[in-house]
């Protein structure tokens, strides 16, 4: 158990819908990362938050957004869903922001499997 | 382009064999990570290294910064080692801590 929790574990929805994925980082971790794992693209970085502020953006679609709340949990919102959004969505957390070459181990949550029908 | 290449893509071994998985990357990094993804999907961080060598149980990870190359070795492999092993790096040049991933090596260890 990494200490990172994600809910829900599975989500099945229809095209055009909107869903929210939730992540609670390990106790004491300030940085939260969202990653998408699809069969054709592999694991890709979406977005990072550190202590409530957006830190970095990766290959995140405009239909997707995220935020980190004062209690440090994070939510990833996916809207106008398409079939191609079906994937495993992982949240990871770490202590540091990863700035200036200061990196540390990232602890991954169990993932949310999203199926868009 | 910042890239991470892994080889082999698939690997089948007999129980007890010594296994090596390789990872190479294109530009300077601040750290390299080896991750293990179980058949159920969960991802576990095995190692984070920026130089030298680390060992944990039957797993050994090495990195050569000059050659931009890392290897993950598994000694006395066991069927429970069957998983996908993923190399990931933190590239220099930005303030991000995000990981860039290789495509993974699917390992199957037969009894």
């Amino acid at each position: 158990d990494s200490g990172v929790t994600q809910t829900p574990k599975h989500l099945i929805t229809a095209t055009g819908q909107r869903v929210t994925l939730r992540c609670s980082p390990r106790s004491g971790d300030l940085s939260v990362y969202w990653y998408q794992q699809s069969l054709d693209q592999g694991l890709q970085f979406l977005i990072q938050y550190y202590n409530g502020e957006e830190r970095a953006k990766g290959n995140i679609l405009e239909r997707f957004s995220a935020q980190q709340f004062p209690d440090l949990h994070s939510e990833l919102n996916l809207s106008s869903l398409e079939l191609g959004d079906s994937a495993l969505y992982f949240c990871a957390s770490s202590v540091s922001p990863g700035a200036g070459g200061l990196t540390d181990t990232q602890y991954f949550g169990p993932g949310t499997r999203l199926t868009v029908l | 382009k910042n890239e991470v290449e892994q080889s082999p893509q698939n690997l089948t071994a007999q129980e007890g064999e010594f296994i090596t998985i390789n990872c190479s990357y294109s530009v300077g990094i601040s750290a390299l990570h080896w991750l293990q993804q179980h058949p159920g999907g969960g991802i576990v961080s095995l190692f984070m290294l920026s130089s030298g060598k680390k060992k944990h149980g039957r797993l050994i990870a090495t990195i050569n910064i000059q050659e931009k190359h890392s290897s993950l070795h598994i000694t006395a492999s066991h069927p429970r080692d069957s998983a996908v092993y993923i190399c990931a790096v933190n590239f220099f040049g930005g303030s991000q801590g995000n990981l860039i991933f290789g495509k993974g090596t699917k390992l199957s260890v037969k009894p």
Side-chain angles (χ1 to χ4, degrees), chain A residues 46-66:
Chain A
L46 295 178
I47 197 164
Q48 177 198 2
Y49 279 83
Y50 178 75
N51 204 19
E53 294 191 4
E54 183 184 300
R55 187 81 185 185
K57 259 185 174 178
N59 298 322
I60 188 165
L61 300 171
E62 282 190 17
R63 300 183 284 108
F64 296 1
S65 65

Side-chain angles (χ1 to χ4, degrees), chain A residues 1-6 22-33 49-51 68-74 91-96 103-110, chain B residues 43-45 48:
Chain A
D1 184 0
S2 66
V4 179
T5 60
Q6 286 188 252
R22 183 187 168 104
C23 167
S24 292
R26 283 189 333 151
S27 177
D29 285 357
L30 300 178
S31 215
V32 169
Y33 308 81
Y49 279 83
Y50 178 75
N51 204 19
Q68 187 179 28
F69 294 87
D71 66 352
L72 300 177
H73 91 271
S74 177
C91 162
S93 72
S94 68
V95 173
S96 75
T103 55
D104 58 354
T105 297
Q106 293 188 20
Y107 295 89
F108 285 77
Chain B
I43 295 176
V44 174
S45 179
M48 185 186 74

Side-chain angles (χ1 to χ4, degrees), chain B:
Chain B
K1 186 181 174 184
N2 296 342
E3 290 184 338
V4 180
E5 300 283 340
Q6 273 187 250
S7 63
Q9 202 171 344
N10 292 284
L11 184 54
T12 300
Q14 287 298 126
E15 184 173 355
E17 285 185 1
F18 181 84
I19 287 161
T20 297
I21 299 170
N22 296 298
C23 176
S24 59
Y25 50 90
S26 54
V27 295
I29 63 170
S30 57
L32 183 142
H33 306 250
W34 282 102
L35 310 171
Q36 179 192 54
Q37 186 167 26
H38 299 293
I43 295 176
V44 174
S45 179
L46 299 175
F47 295 104
M48 185 186 74
L49 41 155
S50 54
S51 65
K53 177 179 172 178
K54 286 190 176 180
K55 184 175 190 287
H56 185 261
R58 294 179 296 105
L59 273 58
I60 303 166
T62 64
I63 188 168
N64 185 317
I65 296 295
Q66 286 73 31
E67 294 186 3
K68 296 185 175 62
H69 180 269
S70 175
S71 293
L72 176 68
H73 305 286
I74 305 175
T75 61
S77 59
H78 190 276
R80 65 174 174 267
D81 297 325
S82 298
V84 176
Y85 293 83
I86 302 168
C87 172
V89 302
N90 301 98
F91 282 113
F92 272 132
S95 60
Q96 303 93 314
N98 56 281
L99 298 174
I100 305 298
F101 301 88
K103 294 195 184 300
T105 295
K106 186 173 183 180
L107 171 65
S108 178
V109 181
K110 307 289 186 192

